[in-house]
Amino acid sequence: MQKLLYLLICCLGGASALHGQGYNIAVQLKGYKAGTVYLGHYMGKTTYVMDSAQIGPDGTAVLKGGETQPGGIYLIVLPGKQRYFEILLDKTQSFSIVADTANLVTGTEFKNSPDNTMFSNYNKFIAQNSAEIQQKLAAARTAEDSAKVRPLMDSFGKQLQDYRGRVVTEHPQSLLASIFKAMREPAIPPMPKKADGSLDSTYPYRVYKSNYWKEVNLADGRLARTPVLETRLDRYFNQLVPPVPDSVILEADAVIAKTKKDKESFKFVLWWITRNYESSSIMGMDAVFVHLVEKYYMKGDAYWLSEEQKNKIIERAVTIAPNLIGQQAAPLVLQDTAAKRASLYDIKSKYTVVVFWDPTCGHCITEVPKLDSAFNASWKKKGVAMYGVRTDGTKDEWTKFIREKHLKGWIHAWDPEYKSNYRKFYDVYATPVVYLLDEHKKILAKRLGVTQLDEFLQRALSGSNL
């Protein structure tokens, strides 16, 4: 799975240059007469180096390429790669910069780049107007001292919002305006009263969520090359959308649909949501990954992937699909320690815990006895069955572990000739792997730790909703 995540990230990081006159950025660094200057760009919150140039005796390096780059926030990285400053690339990609390395914020000037002059003025405004606040906070020794700074902070926050608002009004098509709009938070009116006179506490959440994307132009691919879009995606899907596969799938499709007019935005948003749910630690979210692959990747919408890369992602989804929550578990007809038939579907119990484990695996050595303790302490007497499947290690190592750890009451099974193909059907790429099945062998839960599984089972056995 880690290899797939790496594949997704690497594919996204590749340059998506546009045909055109290219870029030509002359950077003069005061205080430097040699060294290497680098040009990097954001892709979401991640940065990538894309070009470099040597500094001449006059302190100037020229970064240039034959293809116009997608709009976004880029980085000029100084020699040593310890310091950098941000620039904007959009329609104008040939300009010059003079940077005083003693103070990169207030000492950087741009020529022939209105976007960057506007961006630089904004950064200088922040630096100049926040200086007093920073000084007072640094000098604060008590909570009372810090509280006295609050009015200054509130006043500066209002000035900052006004500044951004003027940029949006006066330069509505600029990249900076698009960034500022995407950074706006939805306004939340006071909570209304319900029929019984109490305040509707769910109102702020509902208003905030319903207006969350109102100011974000998801058809503006320039936002993909800023940290702003990924920040908003992260908050929306990991904090505002209920962690239920059906809800997430509905929201994911709705957000992706808003990006369809721009290839860069579509590429980034689809990539981010795919990665987020392929690697989610929340049980059941792999259903979102499978849905995305079936709806977009299998239909060829992931235009930036090679055929080999696309097939690897599809193969991963095909592997996961048979063992999603709610699916019927694949039959397992194996052998027990005495080489007798040990079939999963022969087990008659309300719940069955299936454990794929290896007697030589360090994690299994710790977790399997814990599972056995929970089984004997509570589950067994309530009719839960344990079906353990040996994945690796010799037969002697397997049976010795069973004896020494007193794993009694389990159905212990293995597949010496690997005829059942259980690794594929149960997605066993590491051990231990735990599944919980109902009486009809439908998958109720999977990949839970002992504590989580015990809590899940206790709720199920007590008749509570799962």
Side-chain angles (χ1 to χ4, degrees):
M1 181 166 62
Q2 295 303 317
K3 289 183 179 179
L4 176 58
L5 290 175
Y6 178 75
L7 169 67
L8 288 169
I9 291 169
C10 287
C11 290
L12 189 74
S16 299
L18 309 171
H19 295 296
Q21 297 179 346
Y23 62 93
N24 189 309
I25 307 168
V27 185
Q28 183 180 6
L29 297 176
K30 295 180 180 179
Y32 284 87
K33 293 185 178 181
T36 305
V37 172
Y38 302 89
L39 177 64
H41 70 84
Y42 283 97
M43 186 57 78
K45 297 177 185 177
T46 306
T47 57
Y48 299 87
V49 172
M50 56 174 284
D51 197 2
S52 64
Q54 295 300 308
I55 300 174
D58 64 347
T60 301
V62 180
L63 296 154
K64 59 182 178 180
E67 295 182 314
T68 302
Q69 297 301 304
I73 300 178
Y74 286 68
L75 313 170
I76 301 296
V77 185
L78 275 57
K81 297 184 179 181
Q82 298 300 309
R83 302 176 67 201
Y84 68 89
F85 60 94
E86 296 177 337
I87 65 171
L88 301 183
L89 277 189
D90 197 10
K91 293 179 181 179
T92 301
Q93 300 199 359
S94 292
F95 52 88
S96 61
I97 307 169
V98 177
D100 184 349
T101 56
N103 192 323
L104 290 172
V105 176
T106 61
T108 300
E109 300 294 334
F110 293 84
K111 185 177 180 180
N112 298 325
S113 179
D115 282 341
N116 278 299
T117 298
M118 184 163 53
F119 188 39
S120 179
N121 289 339
Y122 170 69
N123 288 326
K124 290 173 183 177
F125 170 81
I126 293 176
Q128 293 164 358
N129 287 275
S130 63
E132 182 183 358
I133 295 173
Q134 293 172 357
Q135 291 171 0
K136 289 183 178 296
L137 286 174
R141 295 291 179 267
T142 65
E144 185 178 352
D145 291 338
S146 298
K148 291 179 180 178
V149 187
R150 174 55 61 182
L152 280 176
M153 295 174 66
D154 291 342
S155 175
F156 175 62
K158 177 65 167 57
Q159 293 176 51
L160 196 59
Q161 294 302 321
D162 290 344
Y163 192 111
R164 293 172 180 172
R166 287 194 298 273
V167 170
V168 171
T169 301
E170 296 170 9
H171 308 277
Q173 301 305 315
S174 68
L175 171 56
L176 200 56
S178 189
I179 291 171
F180 288 163
K181 288 181 68 177
M183 292 169 64
R184 286 176 175 170
E185 292 293 331
I188 308 298
M191 284 187 289
K193 290 184 178 181
K194 296 190 289 188
D196 62 2
S198 63
L199 293 175
D200 184 356
S201 59
T202 67
Y203 181 76
Y205 162 78
R206 289 186 283 108
V207 171
Y208 186 84
K209 182 174 178 292
S210 63
N211 290 281
Y212 188 80
W213 296 108
K214 186 176 181 180
E215 296 281 4
V216 184
N217 183 3
L218 286 167
D220 186 347
R222 298 174 299 179
L223 293 176
R225 292 205 173 202
T226 76
V228 178
L229 181 55
E230 182 172 1
T231 298
R232 292 199 74 89
L233 287 167
D234 189 18
R235 187 188 308 161
Y236 190 69
F237 283 99
N238 294 327
Q239 297 180 27
L240 297 178
V241 177
V244 178
D246 288 347
S247 297
V248 174
I249 287 170
L250 188 67
E251 297 283 359
D253 285 342
V255 171
I256 291 169
K258 294 177 181 179
T259 70
K260 285 293 187 72
K261 293 181 179 179
D262 187 281
K263 293 180 69 175
E264 286 296 306
S265 187
F266 173 77
K267 171 184 174 181
F268 180 80
V269 171
L270 176 58
W271 164 82
W272 188 91
I273 300 175
T274 303
R275 182 203 60 171
N276 191 58
Y277 290 103
E278 197 272 343
S279 61
S280 176
S281 60
I282 300 175
M283 186 179 66
M285 290 299 106
D286 48 3
V288 180
F289 171 74
V290 171
H291 166 80
L292 294 172
V293 173
E294 291 177 345
K295 182 167 183 177
Y296 301 101
Y297 294 80
M298 288 184 179
K299 294 181 179 179
D301 290 346
Y303 64 90
W304 62 94
L305 296 176
S306 68
E307 197 68 20
E308 180 183 0
Q309 292 165 341
K310 183 181 69 174
N311 287 340
K312 285 183 179 179
I313 295 171
I314 291 173
E315 181 181 350
R316 177 68 186 146
V318 169
T319 299
I320 295 173
N323 52 75
L324 297 176
I325 303 298
Q327 296 281 19
Q328 197 71 21
L332 289 174
V333 183
L334 311 180
Q335 295 180 18
D336 66 12
T337 54
K340 295 181 179 178
R341 174 188 168 95
S343 172
L344 174 63
Y345 274 72
D346 285 345
I347 299 172
K348 306 302 179 186
S349 61
K350 189 169 185 180
Y351 299 102
T352 303
V353 176
V354 182
V355 186
F356 295 91
W357 66 285
D358 169 8
T360 66
C361 154
H363 195 198
C364 298
I365 291 170
T366 301
E367 293 300 308
V368 168
K370 291 181 181 178
L371 285 164
D372 183 64
S373 295
F375 172 61
N376 284 295
S378 175
W379 305 346
K380 184 177 180 180
K381 64 185 72 174
K382 294 182 179 179
V384 176
M386 296 289 292
Y387 187 82
V389 180
R390 193 227 77 175
T391 60
D392 285 297
T394 66
K395 183 179 180 182
D396 288 342
E397 289 170 330
W398 176 47
T399 54
K400 180 182 178 183
F401 190 94
I402 292 171
R403 289 194 306 271
E404 290 182 349
K405 301 301 180 181
H406 308 290
L407 304 181
K408 299 178 180 179
W410 292 45
I411 299 169
H412 293 287
W414 69 320
D415 188 355
E417 298 179 4
Y418 192 52
K419 294 180 179 179
S420 64
N421 205 14
Y422 64 79
R423 287 189 183 276
K424 175 183 178 181
F425 292 124
Y426 285 85
D427 194 25
V428 180
Y429 54 84
T431 51
V433 175
V434 178
Y435 283 80
L436 175 64
L437 314 180
D438 70 6
E439 59 186 321
H440 303 295
K441 304 301 180 284
K442 184 177 73 173
I443 300 171
L444 297 179
K446 62 179 181 177
R447 301 184 184 279
L448 294 178
V450 178
T451 301
Q452 294 172 306
L453 180 59
D454 185 59
E455 291 173 354
F456 194 98
L457 263 173
Q458 294 305 334
R459 290 198 302 271
L461 291 166
S462 67
S464 300
N465 292 328
L466 299 178

